[in-house]
Amino acid sequence: MTEQQQEPGPDQAEETRRRRAGIAAFLVGLVATLAFFAFFPGLPHVIDWGAILVSLVVGGLARWACQSWMNRSAKKTERM
């Protein structure tokens, strides 16, 4: 039997784009926060567990904000 390959539909392509943007936003938030803790003058310049946890939370918030912004903009284009 031969299996037929289905091309990704517009919904699947949009979901893939949304997932990639969420991953990129998470990484940008994580790296930016770690860089802040590592290089900001006056801080002890030590990355400890607190800085890592805060960086993960900021990365999660950046991902959430990016995905909610993308969902909101997708709903606006559907209405038009």
Side-chain angles (χ1 to χ4, degrees), residues 24 28 51 63:
V28 166
R63 180 182 181 272

Side-chain angles (χ1 to χ4, degrees), residues 14-30 56-71:
E14 184 68 25
E15 182 62 32
T16 302
R17 187 172 76 91
R18 212 174 277 144
R19 187 179 313 122
R20 286 182 182 169
I23 291 169
F26 176 80
L27 291 176
V28 166
L30 180 92
L56 289 172
V57 169
V58 169
L61 286 173
R63 180 182 181 272
W64 173 77
C66 176
Q67 292 206 340
S68 65
W69 177 69
M70 291 180 75
N71 287 337

Side-chain angles (χ1 to χ4, degrees), residues 33-71:
T33 308
L34 282 176
F36 172 79
F37 282 116
F39 299 114
F40 193 80
L43 292 178
H45 303 294
V46 175
I47 301 296
D48 59 352
W49 283 108
I52 292 171
L53 291 176
V54 169
S55 297
L56 289 172
V57 169
V58 169
L61 286 173
R63 180 182 181 272
W64 173 77
C66 176
Q67 292 206 340
S68 65
W69 177 69
M70 291 180 75
N71 287 337

